[in-house]
Amino acid sequence: MPEDDGLMRVFWPTDLPRSDCKGVVVGWRNSALDVLVVAVLEEVEPRRVESALKVGNLLRNAPHPVSRIYEQCGKSSISVLGVSNTPDTVEVDSSWIRVTITPKQRVPSVTCARASSIQIILFERPLPGRMQYMSLNPIALALGDKHDGFRQDFADSGEEDDEKRERLNKETKRKLVEKLKQHSVVKRVPSPKERALATIVNQINWAWELEKLLQQNVSRIGTRPKRALSVSERVVESATTARDMILVWLWDMITIYVLPVIKKLFVLGLMAHRVVAEMMLRILEWRLRPRYAALKDISATAQQVEIRLQQFCYWPMQYVTLRLRKNDWASVTTSHPDYIRFYNSLWLVANDVIIGMAFGSYIIDNAGWVADEISRLLTTYTVEALQSSISWLMGWPAGLKLNTELAAFLGDLFLWVIEYWASCIETIRPMLPRIVWIIGFSSFAGASMPLALFSDLLSILTIHIYSFYLASARIFHWQLNILQSLFHLFRGKKHNVLRNRIDSCDYGLDQLLVGTILFTVLFFLLPTVVVFYLNFAIARMAIILFKACFDTALSCLNHFPLFALMLRVKDPKRLPGGIRFELRDTQDFGATCNDNNPLRQHPSTSVISLQPIPLDFKSMFYQYFQMGNRIRKHYLSPRVALCLLTGKFVPPLNRKNLYSLQYSMLPAKRAGVMEMWDAVNSLPASKRKSMPVQVPKIPSNYGGGRSRSYG
């Protein structure tokens, strides 16, 4: 870093203990004028602290390898940064800082012989035990990047047009951004202090745990008298030895013989469940051809079962990741997003089961009434309402004069199909209470299961409306195409299929006469076809709206960021969204230079507060915004309006695109059976905490009672 500007940055923790005692300031020296304070060791000599840091005495009894600290913090050693509350008569190194701090002083007074101006950057240390940490980038709650790559690798296998178009747009924007970066006229190079910011943030995350370790070993500096146990204390210790031996023996019997058997049985049961889940997933994901839809892409129930099986297959892998986190320092933050995803998924499944049990109990207790209501709604809206609307269209609806013969033909045809469908509904009506009971019983697997079943039941019981929409849309589209071709014929034009353009053409008199007659007939028959098409198109859009409500409810039950919202309210520091620097007025903190020594020259000092930014709610619900954007693009786009006006078929939104919200919390490629077996068996054995049994030695001068030894 540049040192000729004379500006020194001192990162100081605001939650460090403050006292009037002399001490040694210890921390990270990123450069001669850029330091981060970790701890203040009181009542010790600076030279002894330097030697203890070199030999590693202050980092003894560490629970994990010390090299991990240096690797994460980007430095090879911890340094002595200066002294605190030390008189000016004491000579120190010119690169050291002199700190004056009192219990009533919120901001320390810092001076340095090499610095002409000083920035004191205050920060509050994150608590790694509570999984708090700072980050320059927002925490990732979803595994979206993996899924994007997975969809790109398998884009040709079964990708829909909307998804393909969205992926291509993202790729095009990315390439344009790269080109703009290459053609930038003025490219600002980040300063060394800006490049060191990521390392400083890591050092801040390690500050609390490292300060705790240093304070534990500060007693190793210098000689300390250690008193041996007296005779009375040894007698008390020997009295508890027999009880401790029995407790240790019982605990060893449980941990050596009982727990391994229970663990092995649990692992075998888990692997059996994984094998069955793999078989069911293969069935749900099987495609007759790569471009054909799988069962999970057609049925909402199959999709929900597939999501639950994917979660059950992923949970053991997440658990292994979280267990391995205990074998590392708590300040390592790489597994924190996995922790949030894991417990958010568990909470959602638990809430889903709880809501489902209440919902299922109500459905089972009132299966007859629910079946009667479903039957009444089906008869009213899918049979009687359609019959009345078709009968109304067979006359002169709203004074619009239609072709009587064509309206009668289409109306009789649709009414006959409706009557046949009504007879089929009457056939399955006695079975409806049993079907409702089965749906209610499935609620014990979660409230999402009956919602998915009701969505599929709605699709099955309204299949005649879907057929009417397809038939009327096809007739309307054909008639428009024929009218367009006849209109070109009337103008002496024709459509060139090979070149996709309109060319001039010479027609004979008989061709013009027949074409004109057909154009006139089809044009006057068009209003009759249009009213029937609009009737069934509106009914189809209403059904799609109901299914969208079911899918939205399923999305909330499967992916709502409940755990993340709880953390956002309870402890926002566990969901970092970045950092910010705030310039503070030194008068708000009191005088930073409050010593009474007029000979000391105080450089100009500014106080800056480093604050973490919690993750905003927009980022937490980003997947919902993306799903709503996809629904809007699919159903409210000009392309869909053009399809409705021209009679082209408007397909429902692909279930894979709609459920990308669910899969954002799952890996793109699930772990195999053998991979899961290796991961579960790779867990380190838990350390047995047995109390050491020591037989006290009776001193040779037993009976004196006042003997003391110091070592």
Side-chain angles (χ1 to χ4, degrees):
M1 293 184 183
E3 302 177 5
D4 54 352
D5 55 357
L7 175 63
M8 185 175 191
R9 294 193 306 178
V10 179
F11 291 84
W12 185 274
T14 57
D15 52 348
L16 272 183
R18 297 187 293 267
S19 67
D20 297 327
C21 301
K22 296 187 296 182
V24 179
V25 181
V26 179
W28 302 102
R29 183 175 292 277
N30 297 307
S31 72
L33 297 179
D34 199 0
V35 297
L36 187 140
V37 177
V38 173
V40 177
L41 307 180
E42 298 179 352
E43 302 296 339
V44 291
E45 295 294 331
R47 301 305 175 187
R48 291 184 178 272
V49 174
E50 279 187 325
S51 61
L53 288 175
K54 290 180 180 180
V55 300
N57 288 337
L58 287 177
L59 298 177
R60 287 187 178 182
N61 297 327
H64 305 289
V66 180
S67 59
R68 183 70 166 163
I69 301 177
Y70 300 137
E71 177 187 351
Q72 292 289 320
C73 295
K75 294 296 175 182
S76 59
S77 63
I78 305 175
S79 306
V80 174
L81 304 180
V83 293
S84 64
N85 298 328
T86 303
D88 295 339
T89 56
V90 178
E91 295 184 359
V92 296
D93 194 295
S94 60
S95 63
W96 286 7
I97 60 175
R98 290 179 177 270
V99 181
T100 304
I101 187 71
T102 61
K104 297 181 180 180
Q105 192 174 348
R106 298 177 60 186
V107 179
S109 173
V110 181
T111 59
C112 182
R114 295 184 180 181
S116 59
S117 60
I118 294 178
Q119 284 184 353
I120 302 177
I121 303 176
L122 305 177
F123 66 91
E124 186 176 356
R125 296 176 297 176
L127 301 179
R130 297 182 181 179
M131 302 184 72
Q132 299 176 356
Y133 70 103
M134 292 185 185
S135 176
L136 296 179
N137 301 316
I139 184 174
L141 299 180
L143 297 172
D145 296 340
K146 296 181 180 180
H147 288 272
D148 291 340
F150 178 75
R151 286 195 296 265
Q152 187 172 356
D153 294 338
F154 296 90
D156 298 333
S157 60
E159 193 176 30
E160 292 296 320
D161 294 337
D162 293 340
E163 187 177 3
K164 186 176 181 179
R165 191 181 300 107
E166 183 178 355
R167 179 176 59 82
L168 292 178
N169 289 336
K170 288 183 179 180
E171 186 67 19
T172 304
K173 290 181 180 179
R174 186 185 65 81
K175 292 181 179 179
L176 289 175
V177 171
E178 293 296 331
K179 288 184 179 180
L180 288 175
K181 290 181 179 179
Q182 295 176 1
H183 294 280
S184 298
V185 179
V186 178
K187 186 176 181 180
R188 180 180 177 273
V189 179
S191 63
K193 291 185 178 181
E194 293 175 348
R195 291 196 299 266
L197 190 57
T199 303
I200 293 174
V201 170
N202 288 335
Q203 295 172 359
I204 291 175
N205 292 330
W206 281 83
W208 189 90
E209 198 168 14
L210 187 55
E211 192 262 346
K212 181 180 178 182
L213 181 61
L214 293 174
Q215 295 293 351
Q216 288 177 353
N217 293 290
V218 70
S219 59
R220 297 180 180 273
I221 303 177
T223 57
R224 292 288 188 272
K226 183 178 180 181
R227 184 178 64 85
L229 294 177
S230 64
V231 175
S232 59
E233 291 172 342
R234 291 178 180 271
V235 171
V236 172
E237 183 180 6
S238 62
T240 60
T241 301
R243 184 194 64 182
D244 294 341
M245 290 178 62
I246 296 175
L247 294 177
V248 169
W249 179 80
L250 291 175
W251 179 249
D252 288 342
M253 293 294 293
I254 294 174
T255 55
I256 295 175
Y257 298 103
V258 179
L259 289 182
V261 175
I262 297 176
K263 178 183 177 182
K264 184 62 68 176
L265 292 176
F266 178 77
V267 170
L268 292 177
L270 188 65
M271 295 307 301
H273 173 271
R274 179 65 182 85
V275 172
V276 175
E278 184 66 25
M279 295 173 59
M280 296 182 65
L281 286 171
R282 293 292 181 89
I283 295 174
L284 295 175
E285 296 173 352
W286 179 78
R287 301 173 187 270
L288 185 61
R289 290 185 179 180
R291 296 290 299 179
Y292 289 1
L295 182 60
K296 66 182 183 67
D297 300 328
I298 301 174
S299 171
T301 304
Q303 185 86 57
Q304 184 62 32
V305 172
E306 198 254 353
I307 288 175
R308 284 289 178 259
L309 291 177
Q310 290 271 19
Q311 289 176 336
F312 293 154
C313 294
Y314 186 43
W315 282 347
M317 308 302 294
Q318 288 181 300
Y319 176 75
V320 170
T321 302
L322 297 180
R323 276 292 304 273
L324 294 177
R325 185 181 66 89
K326 296 183 179 180
N327 297 330
D328 203 348
W329 294 88
S331 299
V332 179
T333 62
T334 54
S335 61
H336 290 2
D338 293 323
Y339 175 86
I340 296 176
R341 297 189 199 106
F342 178 65
Y343 282 99
N344 188 77
S345 180
L346 288 181
W347 272 38
L348 289 178
V349 173
N351 292 335
D352 189 20
V353 172
I354 293 172
I355 298 173
M357 292 177 65
F359 187 57
S361 300
Y362 176 80
I363 292 178
I364 292 174
D365 294 339
N366 303 275
W369 178 80
V370 174
D372 293 338
E373 287 297 317
I374 293 177
S375 177
R376 183 183 64 84
L377 292 175
L378 286 175
T379 303
T380 302
Y381 293 102
T382 65
V383 176
E384 296 177 355
L386 280 179
Q387 287 177 343
S388 61
S389 63
I390 292 173
S391 299
W392 181 62
L393 293 177
M394 291 173 66
W396 289 356
L400 180 63
K401 186 175 182 180
L402 303 178
N403 186 273
T404 306
E405 289 76 11
L406 181 59
F409 170 76
L410 294 176
D412 292 339
L413 178 61
F414 290 133
L415 289 175
W416 176 79
V417 176
I418 291 174
E419 290 177 0
Y420 180 77
W421 180 258
S423 63
C424 295
I425 295 296
E426 290 295 331
T427 304
I428 66 173
R429 193 184 300 274
M431 302 170 56
L432 198 57
R434 179 60 59 182
I435 296 174
V436 172
W437 186 87
I438 294 174
I439 294 176
F441 187 76
S442 68
S443 299
F444 292 97
S448 57
M449 192 59 65
L451 288 177
L453 287 171
F454 276 125
S455 180
D456 288 340
L457 188 64
L458 178 64
S459 300
I460 294 173
L461 295 179
T462 58
I463 193 172
H464 61 295
I465 299 178
Y466 180 68
S467 302
F468 293 162
Y469 167 70
L470 282 179
S472 59
R474 187 62 58 88
I475 293 172
F476 176 59
H477 184 62
W478 285 347
Q479 191 169 355
L480 282 181
N481 288 337
I482 294 173
L483 285 173
Q484 185 179 7
S485 299
L486 293 175
F487 182 71
H488 292 324
L489 182 144
F490 184 74
R491 296 168 52 231
K493 305 286 185 179
K494 72 172 183 179
H495 179 253
N496 192 335
V497 181
L498 296 178
R499 297 183 179 273
N500 193 20
R501 67 184 185 185
I502 305 299
D503 295 336
S504 300
C505 182
D506 295 332
Y507 294 100
L509 182 61
D510 52 349
Q511 292 176 330
L512 292 174
L513 182 59
V514 174
T516 304
I517 294 173
L518 291 177
F519 178 81
T520 305
V521 172
L522 292 176
F523 182 77
F524 285 106
L525 292 179
L526 184 63
T528 306
V529 178
V530 168
V531 293
F532 279 92
Y533 164 70
L534 290 178
N535 182 35
F536 298 125
I538 293 173
R540 176 61 183 168
M541 292 299 109
I543 294 173
I544 289 177
L545 179 62
F546 278 108
K547 290 177 65 65
C549 294
F550 282 119
D551 291 333
T552 304
L554 288 173
S555 300
C556 293
L557 289 174
N558 288 324
H559 185 72
F560 192 79
L562 183 63
F563 190 72
L565 282 176
M566 184 272 296
L567 292 180
R568 181 66 171 78
V569 176
K570 178 184 176 183
D571 192 358
K573 294 182 180 180
R574 295 179 63 175
L575 290 174
I579 59 174
R580 69 173 182 269
F581 293 92
E582 296 181 358
L583 182 62
R584 299 296 181 89
D585 189 358
T586 55
Q587 295 180 358
D588 296 338
F589 297 92
T592 59
C593 304
N594 55 358
D595 53 350
N596 298 321
N597 189 357
L599 299 178
R600 179 183 297 182
Q601 296 180 357
H602 296 283
S604 60
T605 304
S606 59
V607 180
I608 300 175
S609 177
L610 192 154
Q611 298 289 337
I613 301 176
L615 188 68
D616 56 344
F617 292 100
K618 183 178 180 180
S619 300
M620 297 173 65
F621 290 94
Y622 169 75
Q623 298 293 334
Y624 282 94
F625 292 132
Q626 187 177 13
M627 184 183 69
N629 190 28
R630 288 185 176 181
I631 294 176
R632 180 187 61 81
K633 287 183 178 180
H634 187 82
Y635 291 115
L636 300 179
S637 62
R639 182 178 61 86
V640 174
L642 182 62
C643 290
L644 289 174
L645 292 176
T646 58
K648 293 182 180 180
F649 175 65
V650 180
L653 183 61
N654 188 7
R655 192 167 295 277
K656 182 175 65 174
N657 290 343
L658 189 62
Y659 273 70
S660 61
L661 175 67
Q662 326 293 348
Y663 292 114
S664 61
M665 304 296 288
L666 297 171
K669 185 179 180 180
R670 63 177 177 272
V673 178
M674 297 308 299
E675 186 178 354
M676 179 176 170
W677 171 262
D678 295 336
V680 173
N681 290 312
S682 66
L683 287 175
S686 58
K687 300 179 181 180
R688 295 189 297 113
K689 298 180 180 180
S690 57
M691 298 182 61
V693 180
Q694 298 178 354
V695 179
K697 296 181 180 180
I698 304 299
S700 58
N701 56 353
Y702 178 76
R706 295 182 180 274
S707 175
R708 295 289 185 273
S709 61
Y710 295 88

